[in-house]
Amino acid sequence: MAEAHDLALLNAAENPELRLLVEPADAGTRIDRYVAANVPDLSRSYAHQLLEDGHITLNGADARPSAQLRAGDMVLVRRPLARPTDLVAQDIPLTVVYEDADVVVIDKPAGMVVHPAPGHLDGTLVNALLARYPDITVGSDLRPGIVHRLDRDTSGLLVVTRNDPARHAIQAQQLARTMLKAYLAVVEGRFKEPSGVIDAPIGRHPTDRLRQAIVANGRVARTHWQVVEELGDYTLIEARLETGRTHQIRVHFSHKSRPLLGDPLYGPRKPRATFGLTRQFLHAYRLGFALPSTGERVEFQSPLPGDLQAALEALRARATGTR
């Protein structure tokens, strides 16, 4: 247990680190089970999610929740662990596109964080969901019902599950890559081909903890894209996720020297123009999956929000010389 390990809690203001040195008795244990057993107040489901998000590393590299440990391995937990009792229901307006006894489809606005995290302990989508659907208790401690996410400043559609069978059904579709998750994005530059696939592994940036990067030991990440409209020296594209890594679209197109318009994290330090945007031009506009209860295939669409539509019109006017 924790007291038998070499534990060091570094009291950094925003990013304390908990180090666990694996003893011979724990060799062969799954890392998610090991972390849950050795970190107070941390459930296995939350440990699983932290591993998926890259907040827990094994010998300095990202690890799958199922990775088996060896004696002498070093497990590093980088994220402060809020307790489930920190969650509060808050009456925050939501745009509900669809709901039944199993799932809810939300059209998330830009600026809303999906789940509580350090620096965002309330005012999130989860807080709003708990007020509207108090029966949602499945999933990890701080992410009840959440099976996929959108970045804070990415708008659009996501599905939330209301019970365990529904959660398993949606997760199975994600693993089988049968869910449709399509985005509209404007990127800088143009393409020689009308469509393509970006296949490049993504992991945490080696020096910047806020960023993800293309790294050799990263997790498999594939983004399918096609040109929707050429806008002078910018391009409107549709991007479909085959995998769902953190910041995947933003990282992939930045890596290809086609950063998203307005991206403050992966775009140029001094962008040529913002067209009125204060966030990245990225919108989850189509979402499709099979309903857990009936297996019926459903698909939902979300129109571009006002700020993105205005930027698109400005780009069109610039490209045609009408403004």
Side-chain angles (χ1 to χ4, degrees):
M1 297 301 290
E3 57 269 25
H5 293 77
D6 175 22
L7 303 184
L9 183 59
L10 308 182
N11 294 316
E14 296 182 355
N15 195 28
E17 297 181 344
L18 184 64
R19 300 177 187 273
L20 302 170
L21 180 65
V22 178
E23 300 289 344
D26 291 312
T29 304
R30 283 174 53 119
I31 189 172
D32 57 349
R33 291 178 177 173
Y34 172 82
V35 172
N38 286 280
V39 180
D41 302 317
L42 177 60
S43 70
R44 181 180 171 188
S45 60
Y46 190 33
H48 184 104
Q49 190 64 60
L50 290 177
L51 282 155
E52 289 283 347
D53 293 345
H55 294 300
I56 299 174
T57 59
L58 175 61
N59 300 322
D62 290 342
R64 296 181 181 276
S66 60
Q68 293 190 338
L69 298 174
R70 298 174 297 179
D73 281 343
M74 179 63 71
V75 177
L76 177 62
V77 182
R78 289 194 178 92
R79 190 170 182 177
L81 304 175
R83 297 171 61 93
T85 53
D86 290 334
L87 282 179
V88 294
Q90 295 177 297
D91 188 14
I92 301 170
L94 291 174
T95 300
V96 177
V97 176
Y98 173 84
E99 64 181 336
D100 62 22
D102 298 311
V103 297
V104 181
V105 176
I106 302 293
D107 196 342
K108 185 189 83 68
M112 174 178 275
V113 175
V114 170
H115 56 77
H120 298 282
L121 295 181
D122 59 12
T124 72
L125 175 62
V126 162
N127 298 109
L129 287 168
L130 289 177
R132 183 165 178 143
Y133 306 101
D135 60 311
I136 296 180
T137 58
V138 299
S140 64
D141 295 334
L142 295 180
R143 305 183 184 189
I146 302 300
V147 287
H148 68 115
R149 299 179 300 160
L150 297 176
D151 298 338
R152 179 184 63 183
D153 289 328
T154 297
S155 52
L157 300 169
L158 76 164
V159 60
V160 177
T161 57
R162 301 179 66 175
N163 53 62
D164 274 321
R167 179 168 64 95
H168 295 318
I170 296 297
Q171 287 177 333
Q173 293 178 55
Q174 292 186 105
L175 289 172
R177 298 172 182 170
T178 58
M179 283 187 68
L180 169 64
K181 290 186 282 185
Y183 296 71
L184 289 175
V186 168
V187 301
E188 295 190 13
R190 301 178 70 165
F191 297 90
K192 295 180 179 179
E193 303 294 333
S195 62
V197 180
I198 303 175
D199 188 347
I202 292 177
R204 191 171 293 278
H205 193 282
T207 59
D208 186 344
R209 303 306 300 171
L210 295 177
R211 294 161 59 96
Q212 302 293 304
I214 304 301
V215 293
N217 61 349
R219 304 186 66 188
V220 171
R222 296 187 187 91
T223 303
H224 299 257
W225 61 269
Q226 65 179 20
V227 172
V228 176
E229 183 178 354
E230 292 183 339
L231 302 160
D233 48 0
Y234 294 86
T235 306
L236 175 67
I237 63 167
E238 181 191 79
R240 296 194 182 195
L241 296 181
E242 183 176 330
T243 55
R245 309 305 176 207
T246 301
H247 298 175
Q248 179 171 321
I249 293 173
R250 300 165 68 186
V251 173
H252 269 172
F253 285 96
S254 178
H255 176 66
K256 293 296 184 181
S257 299
R258 297 292 183 271
L260 271 61
L261 174 64
D263 194 331
L265 194 58
Y266 298 98
R269 292 184 179 180
K270 295 182 179 180
R272 290 175 293 169
T274 62
F275 300 94
L277 288 181
T278 58
R279 61 169 175 125
Q280 64 268 10
F281 195 120
L282 185 62
H283 181 65
Y285 88 113
R286 292 177 67 192
L287 177 67
F289 57 90
L291 292 175
S293 57
T294 65
E296 176 190 358
R297 183 81 183 178
V298 293
E299 184 175 316
F300 307 94
Q301 292 197 29
S302 167
L304 283 176
D307 62 334
L308 300 189
Q309 186 63 46
L312 181 59
E313 294 302 329
L315 281 161
R316 286 171 174 159
R318 179 179 179 271
T320 58
T322 59
R323 192 169 94 185

